[in-house]
């Protein structure tokens, strides 16, 4: 099913060649008849607007494939930056096409049932799940920082670094008990 926002979004992408955020794009689309017709309220209405924009963006991205309307272009999609680029620009930046894209997100937003089946309680559950995952990700990031590890650390790296720092900061060896406890807590988050 073609998204009625697609033509309006393409106009905005061409008008804002430097790119824009999803929020800016939504502001530009507020007067669109489809947006005005939405019957949700609160978080459900916000979800409906977001879904329609993301659905349209992923449909536009599909038009960037060879033999399609926007061949030779690529649409970069993230909440903070949406931009229609020439493929040569993407290659010159050393990025692979779609490298930041999540195939799962793309698939989710291209399925219209995900819009029509959503109600206020579903949006509430979606947001609750998002925040749990966000806090878990934040806890992981802080734990990696405590253990002085990079994001791509393996389980083996984590174990080695934990043993090294625990040995170094153990109170029985003259180390600081508070530092030792924070190292142990960080390891427990990552283990």
């Amino acid at each position: 099913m073609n998204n009625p926002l697609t033509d309006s979004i393409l106009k905005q992408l061409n008008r804002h060649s430097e790119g824009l955020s999803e929020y800016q794009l939504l502001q530009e689309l507020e007067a669109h008849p489809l947006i005005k017709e939405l019957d949700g309220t609160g978080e459900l209405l916000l979800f409906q607007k977001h879904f329609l924009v993301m659905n349209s963006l992923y449909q536009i991205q599909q038009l960037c494939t060879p033999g399609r309307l926007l061949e030779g272009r690529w649409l970069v999609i993230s909440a903070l930056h949406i931009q229609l680029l020439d493929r040569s620009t993407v290659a010159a930046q050393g990025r692979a096409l779609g490298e930041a894209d999540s195939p799962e997100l793309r698939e989710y937003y291209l399925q219209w049932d995900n819009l029509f089946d959503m109600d206020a309680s579903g949006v509430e559950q979606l947001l609750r799940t998002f925040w749990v995952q966000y806090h878990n990700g934040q806890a992981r990031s802080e734990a990696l920082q405590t253990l002085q590890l990079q994001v791509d650390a393996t389980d083996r790296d984590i174990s080695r670094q934990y043993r090294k720092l625990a040995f170094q900061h153990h109170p029985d060896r003259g180390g600081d008990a508070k530092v030792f406890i924070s190292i142990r807590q960080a390891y427990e988050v990552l283990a």
Side-chain angles (χ1 to χ4, degrees), residues 111-129:
Q111 296 296 319
W112 282 103
D113 289 344
N114 292 324
L115 171 64
F116 299 126
D117 293 344
M118 188 62 69
D119 59 11
S121 64
V123 171
E124 186 178 317
Q125 178 61 37
L126 198 63
L127 288 172
R128 198 173 18 256
T129 301

Side-chain angles (χ1 to χ4, degrees), residues 4-165:
L5 293 178
T6 300
D7 288 340
S8 297
I9 289 177
L10 270 171
K11 286 177 188 170
Q12 292 301 323
L13 291 171
N14 287 319
R15 190 169 144 238
H16 296 276
S17 60
E18 73 287 355
L20 67 168
S21 69
E22 180 184 6
Y23 175 77
Q24 291 169 314
L25 184 55
L26 279 168
Q27 293 296 103
E28 296 286 343
L29 297 170
E30 278 298 320
H32 193 281
L34 179 62
I35 297 295
K36 287 184 166 190
E37 289 176 17
L38 294 172
D39 62 355
T41 59
E43 292 171 340
L44 177 59
L45 178 61
L46 185 58
F47 170 82
Q48 291 169 337
K49 291 177 182 181
H50 167 76
F51 186 95
L52 288 168
V53 166
M54 295 304 286
N55 173 275
S56 181
L57 290 171
Y58 283 116
Q59 284 189 26
I60 292 168
Q61 197 177 63
Q62 289 178 331
L63 296 174
C64 295
T65 56
R68 305 287 300 270
L69 177 68
L70 296 173
E71 180 178 0
R73 310 284 307 269
W74 186 250
L75 181 60
V76 175
I77 303 171
S78 80
L80 299 177
H81 189 77
I82 301 164
Q83 187 175 14
L84 191 58
L85 298 169
D86 289 324
R87 284 180 183 257
S88 59
T89 304
V90 175
Q93 292 175 353
R95 294 173 28 192
L97 296 177
E99 80 179 13
D101 293 348
S102 161
E104 295 85 10
L105 278 180
R106 183 182 309 115
E107 188 64 31
Y108 177 83
Y109 287 114
L110 288 173
Q111 296 296 319
W112 282 103
D113 289 344
N114 292 324
L115 171 64
F116 299 126
D117 293 344
M118 188 62 69
D119 59 11
S121 64
V123 171
E124 186 178 317
Q125 178 61 37
L126 198 63
L127 288 172
R128 198 173 18 256
T129 301
F130 167 80
W131 285 114
V132 166
Q133 290 175 345
Y134 173 79
H135 289 299
N136 288 345
Q138 188 174 11
R140 178 175 169 71
S141 177
E142 290 170 2
L144 288 169
Q145 188 175 7
T146 298
L147 293 182
Q148 304 164 7
L149 291 167
Q150 299 296 317
V151 175
D152 59 352
T154 64
D155 289 344
R156 187 174 182 194
D157 296 333
I158 292 167
S159 293
R160 281 185 180 170
Q161 186 68 355
Y162 165 71
R163 284 193 304 273
K164 175 185 165 189
L165 292 175

